[in-house]
Amino acid sequence: MTPPFPPPSSSRPSSSSGASRSPFAGSGGAHRGPSPFGFPAGAPGGRGAAKDTRREITDALIALLVTALFGGLALGALWGLFSPRVRVVSDGEGVYLVNSESEEVIAGDGSFLLMGLAVGAVLGLLIFLLRRRGGVGAVLGLALGSAIGAVIAWRLGILLGPEQDLVARAAEFGEGEPFDAPLELRTLGSLIGLPFGALLAHFVGTALWSPRENEIPPPPFPRWN
């Protein structure tokens, strides 16, 4: 006679067994160990991001104010005082160039462009030294501030240059007497000099002297035994 088989035991572990618990879950299913996302236990992940955002905004404002004010004032003063002058003369009915083939007509645009490159390079290095750790905020503030500074320099240079009223100047000097024409930019593309010089200098400074973080050392050179 065949003996009876014992009743099959359940292969599923008891829910009260410690082996069935997840290693990441505590009482109530809450995670009690270190965060799998790299944040400290109990600390919100957005706190560091908010701090970085405030820092980037601060850097952008500082770069914008410095480049707009100092760049605009410096470039405007240099261009208004040292730009080549265009000589004109009046015949009583109109005002004409003394030398119609002179390169001084476009010298104002060229001098503004070159002076803008020089002033922009100084400002770019200055912002790099003030915010050497880098960041998007400093670059955006530098670009926008230098563009605003170029417009400020354009208008300031015209104010510091010769008188704008040609009729009054012609009446003051009389017929046949040459005098300086007012400053003007014939091509607005010359405004690009200040922001281009600033961004280029900042890029060079960042590439050469910016501190490196988490730099991976190169692999060792293999040796043949």
Side-chain angles (χ1 to χ4, degrees), residues 4 14 43 48 68 114 143 153 190 193:
S14 174
L114 295 178
S190 302

Side-chain angles (χ1 to χ4, degrees), residues 47-222:
R47 184 177 301 173
K51 183 178 180 181
D52 291 341
T53 302
R54 289 194 298 268
R55 187 185 67 180
E56 293 289 349
I57 294 176
T58 302
D59 292 348
L61 291 177
I62 292 175
L64 189 149
L65 293 177
V66 169
T67 52
L69 293 179
F70 289 96
L73 294 177
L75 179 57
L78 289 174
W79 187 59
L81 298 177
F82 300 106
S83 177
R85 300 295 190 253
V86 178
R87 302 288 287 177
V88 294
V89 64
S90 173
D91 62 353
E93 297 181 357
V95 178
Y96 307 94
L97 294 172
V98 173
N99 185 3
S100 59
E101 298 181 357
S102 175
E103 296 180 354
E104 295 177 350
V105 178
I106 61 173
D109 294 52
S111 61
F112 189 91
L113 178 63
L114 295 178
M115 292 178 183
L117 288 172
V119 174
V122 174
L123 290 175
L125 291 177
L126 178 61
I127 295 300
F128 168 73
L129 294 177
L130 291 177
R131 289 293 181 269
R132 193 173 179 182
R133 62 177 178 265
V136 179
V139 177
L140 292 179
L142 180 63
L144 182 58
S146 56
I148 296 174
V151 177
I152 295 175
W154 172 32
R155 306 314 301 175
L156 178 62
I158 291 177
L159 293 177
L160 295 178
E163 176 65 37
Q164 295 293 302
D165 193 346
L166 280 176
V167 176
R169 293 274 288 176
E172 178 183 354
F173 282 87
E175 298 181 13
E177 186 69 23
F179 59 93
D180 293 336
L183 287 178
E184 62 175 332
L185 282 181
R186 300 179 183 274
T187 58
L188 295 181
S190 302
L191 296 173
I192 199 64
L194 184 61
F196 181 81
L199 292 175
L200 179 62
H202 189 274
F203 172 78
V204 172
T206 302
L208 296 179
W209 301 295
S210 178
R212 301 294 190 267
E213 296 181 359
N214 301 326
E215 185 174 1
I216 302 176
F221 189 79

